[in-house]
Amino acid sequence: MMSNHFDQLAQTWDQDQMKVERSKATAEQCRNVTLHENKNLLDVGGGTGLLSVHLRDCFESITIADMSKEMLRVAQEKIDRAKITNIKTFAVKEDISEVPDTYSAMITLMTLHHIADLEGFISSAAKILDDYGTLMIADIYQDDGSFHDHVADFDGHDGFEVGALSKILENANFEVSSVNPYFEITKETQTGEMRSYPLFFLVARKR
Ligand SMILES: C[S@@+](CC[C@H](N)C(=O)[O-])C[C@H]1O[C@@H](n2cnc3c(N)ncnc32)[C@H](O)[C@@H]1O
């Protein structure tokens, strides 16, 4: 369902200035994190590559893993056009356990709430990360369901209660070192009301 949803949005994704600003703000957060190693980054649900492109100088290599072929096609066009040699794309079929290699860091921007099986994702992340690797999660704080009320068959999470999310991470052998609000999305709900949705940036280290 979701890959098809994003396939349809791919072509015009980068035209939304909010998404461009959001990726810049997220890249800024990522740059401020002290990593054990800056070898390779996995951008889960990296879509058209807005975030990865900003981070290309921070890592030896970056892999954008996504379920939407169209989002990845836009990302690949961008990589080719700019002659970027250290970013590649990977098409996910079912879940991130399929990605090749291990990574020194993983980042996910506005994707975790689309992944129904949170525990499964976090357990795969722990396997994919190198020892002392870092998982960075940028997503919305728990909302009342209005953020996705325009998506008829949305089956993900209405944002996250960061205390509960941190507990799941800690149970999977991560240590949560920081969580802070860093960006706000303002948009009109289905009932015509303007609403603000704050985003958090969470940093967790594999123990
Ligand atoms: C809201 S978009 C965010 C895209 C990008 N991170 C950005 O901020 O511009 C969510 C992305 O996650 C992808 N996605 C959803 N579930 C996924 C999964 N289980 N594994 C990998 N990608 C997934 C979608 O195809 C989509 O490109």
Side-chain angles (χ1 to χ4, degrees):
M1 180 289 285
M2 288 320 289
S3 60
N4 183 35
H5 171 76
F6 288 107
D7 281 347
Q8 287 162 20
L9 299 177
Q11 207 53 50
T12 54
W13 190 263
D14 291 5
Q15 289 167 18
D16 181 345
Q17 200 51 32
M18 181 280 288
K19 293 184 173 90
V20 174
E21 293 305 324
R22 182 175 72 191
S23 64
K24 275 191 205 155
T26 311
E28 203 50 48
Q29 293 290 316
C30 177
R31 264 189 223 108
N32 290 334
V33 177
T34 306
L35 301 171
H36 175 64
E37 227 187 347
N38 288 58
K39 193 183 73 186
N40 53 357
L41 174 75
L42 182 66
D43 182 358
V44 180
T48 63
L50 281 176
L51 173 62
S52 282
V53 166
H54 285 302
L55 293 172
R56 67 187 184 277
D57 298 331
C58 304
F59 294 88
E60 284 171 34
S61 70
I62 300 180
T63 300
I64 301 171
D66 203 287
M67 279 187 126
S68 160
K69 291 219 164 67
E70 283 303 304
M71 293 290 266
L72 288 182
R73 196 178 53 76
V74 174
Q76 192 60 55
E77 276 173 12
K78 194 180 292 172
I79 293 164
D80 294 344
R81 211 179 314 121
K83 298 188 169 53
I84 297 171
T85 53
N86 68 337
I87 305 183
K88 58 183 176 229
T89 61
F90 178 83
V92 174
K93 289 193 184 73
E94 298 286 330
D95 60 67
I96 54 147
S97 63
E98 299 155 20
V99 296
D101 301 329
T102 60
Y103 295 83
S104 47
M106 281 175 74
I107 194 161
T108 173
L109 168 58
M110 291 301 280
T111 297
L112 191 62
H113 64 253
H114 289 291
I115 299 178
D117 180 8
L118 261 193
E119 280 87 354
F121 171 83
I122 290 168
S123 146
S124 295
K127 286 185 194 131
I128 289 167
L129 279 168
D130 295 333
D131 288 346
Y132 312 111
T134 302
L135 172 62
M136 292 164 279
I137 300 173
D139 217 302
I140 44 173
Y141 284 96
Q142 191 153 55
D143 81 297
D144 57 4
S146 56
F147 190 83
H148 285 100
D149 61 6
H150 61 294
V151 186
D153 50 355
F154 178 68
D155 60 357
H157 306 269
D158 292 323
F160 296 99
E161 200 280 292
V162 292
L165 179 59
S166 300
K167 276 245 147 54
I168 299 174
L169 285 160
E170 276 156 18
N171 289 339
N173 213 25
F174 282 98
E175 184 186 346
V176 177
S177 52
S178 63
V179 192
N180 64 282
Y182 78 102
F183 192 79
E184 234 170 52
I185 300 173
T186 304
K187 67 173 192 172
E188 199 175 340
T189 65
Q190 289 295 88
T191 53
E193 212 183 317
M194 287 309 283
R195 277 286 246 300
S196 279
Y197 301 90
L199 266 63
F200 63 86
F201 189 84
L202 180 153
V203 181
R205 289 198 168 78
K206 188 170 150 181
R207 279 194 250 253

